[in-house]
Structure formats: C-alpha cells, structure tokens
Amino acid sequence: MLTKLVTLRGKLISWVPSGVYRILRQIWYLVFLNAGKFGYLILRSLGKDYNTAPPSYLIVQYGAVDRFGYMRYGQKMVEMIDDALRQAAVTVEAGARVLDFGCGCGRVTEALSGRGWQHFVSDIKHDPVAWIRRYRSEWVTNVNGLRPPLPGNFEGFGLIFAISVLTHMDEMSAKQWLDHFHQRLAPGGVLFLTIITPEESPEQIEKFGILPNQVVQDGYVFDQGKDMSFIAQDYVRSHFTENFDLLHMGKGKCYSQTALVLRKK
C-alpha cells in the first residue's frame, strides 16, 4: 500500500508546476503537523504507549502514511546497506563510530542497534532530532545546517551513511558535504550514499519532467523548484573519487536509487 501511494505521489508531482508544488507541500505539512500533534496528545492522555515509533506528525514529513510502517522500512534500508557493504567487501567492526546523516526519526539507526556501534545522528529538521533526544538518549544527536560543518565531536567515523540525502542537494552543497565527510571519517572509513542515476532509474527521473539523457550529458542536474537532484554514474566516477575509492555502485533496494560505497583515501 505504501509503495503504491509513493508511486502515485511521484506521478502527481510530475504533473504539478514547481511553484504550485512547493505551496501544496507546505499546506500538506501544516495540516498534518497540527492534526497529528492533536491526535498524538489525545493518545498520550489516554495512557497509550506510542514511544516505540515517532508520531504521525513527524513521519508525514518523509512521505510516509503509517508511522509503524515508517520504522519497519528502516530494516529494509539496513538490508540495502548490508548488501552493498558485502559486495564491496567492507566490514564495520564493533565499537566503530557510525553516523546516520539525514537521520529523520532514526529508523535506520534503530534497525542497526545491537551491533555494538557508537551511534551518531544528524538531521536538518529540529522536530525529529528533538524526538530522538527524548526517546533515544543513548545516541549522540545534532541538528545540521544546509552546509558544513558538523560539531567537533562528530569525527573518527568508521561508517557514515546518508540515504536519500544527496538527492535533495545542489551540486555545490554535495561537494562541500563530500569533502566534509572525508575529513570526519577515520582512516580507511567508509561512506555509503544513495543517489538517483539515469542509468538505474530513468523512469523515476522522467516523473519529474527531466530527460535522463540530459542528466547523462550534464552530469549533475538539480531541480530547485522540486528540490531534487539527479547524478550520472560517469559524474560519480570522475567527481566523487577525488578523495575516495569507489568500491561499489549498483541498484539499491529502496526508493529505486543507486547505492554507492566509497572508502576514504
């Protein structure tokens, strides 16, 4: 059901002009933010324990309709990470520092718990991080800006992963964050990313009214109105490898995006 709704959402987005889409998106967030908060307060007043999953007014910001399904999908993302790391012959040892960048409500880090890693999470939105600080106090948290840096204690990572994050960055922001991730990784540390490429997901790019061949030709295309970026694989090979070795690039299991595994040089 969730997959069908996400697909329908993508089709609707492709039909709506950029300016109108941004207005409708803000109305959507405003309505569900207030309605969700009100419903959550009622449930809490009745003594219901809903601490194990974030409230609906938070997860709706990430295109989800079922907050428990939202958290369960985190396990699918972990399977995608594990599969890519396995193909890249990468092992992250117990005790490693691991950063979930663009963490949302922490569904991926939640699914990764129990591996003996030290968990750090960061997101650009305050509300999800505030929820994490309340219910996942053992994690080190941060609210990041549009551009680097991260706090000084966010360093020495064995693994940084950013799922569906570069998909919303312009080219300059992406370069700055890649450089910053390189600085904050431990020697030999690994960076896991997902991006939308014309080679793996041409139909997804077409939904946003952009020709896949245009992305192949330009390398990096950012649609500011719809806040989406599309990156050609040749661009990855030529621009992402200045400070990293590209260990793996292939179709991921989530969001029809391409999974990348890069090791710090």
Side-chain angles (χ1 to χ4, degrees), residues 38-216:
F38 181 68
Y40 181 63
L41 290 174
I42 292 176
L43 292 170
R44 291 285 291 165
S45 69
L46 294 174
K48 300 292 184 180
D49 183 9
Y50 281 83
N51 294 348
T52 57
S56 57
Y57 75 85
L58 289 180
I59 62 95
V60 74
Q61 301 178 46
Y62 302 93
V65 294
D66 174 356
R67 61 201 184 96
F68 295 102
Y70 167 82
M71 294 300 289
R72 286 194 300 269
Y73 201 66
Q75 182 59 49
K76 293 185 178 180
M77 295 182 184
V78 168
E79 292 172 4
M80 174 178 62
I81 294 173
D82 286 342
D83 181 65
L85 294 182
R86 184 167 50 251
Q87 293 189 57
V90 170
T91 301
V92 182
E93 302 295 337
R97 289 185 160 210
V98 175
L99 170 61
D100 181 351
F101 184 77
C103 63
C105 297
R107 58 179 168 179
V108 181
T109 294
E110 181 72 23
L112 286 169
S113 62
R115 300 193 179 193
W117 297 343
Q118 302 177 57
H119 291 294
F120 292 69
V121 297
S122 186
D123 199 272
I124 199 169
K125 296 180 180 178
H126 288 77
D127 284 353
V129 175
W131 183 86
I132 290 173
R133 285 172 177 164
R134 183 173 182 181
Y135 296 112
R136 303 291 185 268
S137 58
E138 68 275 19
W139 301 351
V140 184
T141 60
N142 175 62
V143 177
N144 58 267
L146 288 171
R147 303 286 175 91
L150 292 167
N153 63 326
F154 275 57
E155 62 180 358
F157 294 111
L159 171 66
I160 297 175
F161 61 88
I163 299 174
S164 197
V165 174
L166 262 67
T167 52
H168 304 288
M169 287 187 185
D170 60 52
E171 186 174 8
M172 180 58 69
S173 296
K175 175 173 173 48
Q176 290 182 352
W177 279 112
L178 283 172
D179 290 345
H180 194 60
F181 292 152
H182 179 266
Q183 295 171 9
R184 295 306 177 94
L185 282 166
V190 171
L191 176 62
F192 175 89
L193 306 169
T194 67
I195 59 174
I196 303 175
T197 67
E199 294 85 357
E200 299 281 0
S201 305
E203 69 291 339
Q204 189 172 359
I205 295 175
E206 290 172 346
K207 289 178 182 178
F208 288 89
I210 295 175
L211 295 176
N213 286 340
Q214 178 189 347
V215 182
V216 173

Side-chain angles (χ1 to χ4, degrees), residues 171 174-175 178-179 218-220 231-244 262:
E171 186 174 8
K175 175 173 173 48
L178 283 172
D179 290 345
D218 296 345
Y220 198 116
I231 308 173
Q233 292 189 5
D234 279 346
Y235 182 96
V236 172
R237 295 185 184 96
S238 60
H239 289 73
F240 284 30
T241 56
E242 295 176 2
N243 296 314
F244 295 93
L262 303 126

Side-chain angles (χ1 to χ4, degrees), residues 26-37:
Q26 293 305 315
I27 293 174
W28 169 271
Y29 288 167
L30 181 63
V31 170
F32 276 87
L33 178 68
N34 290 299
K37 281 184 175 178

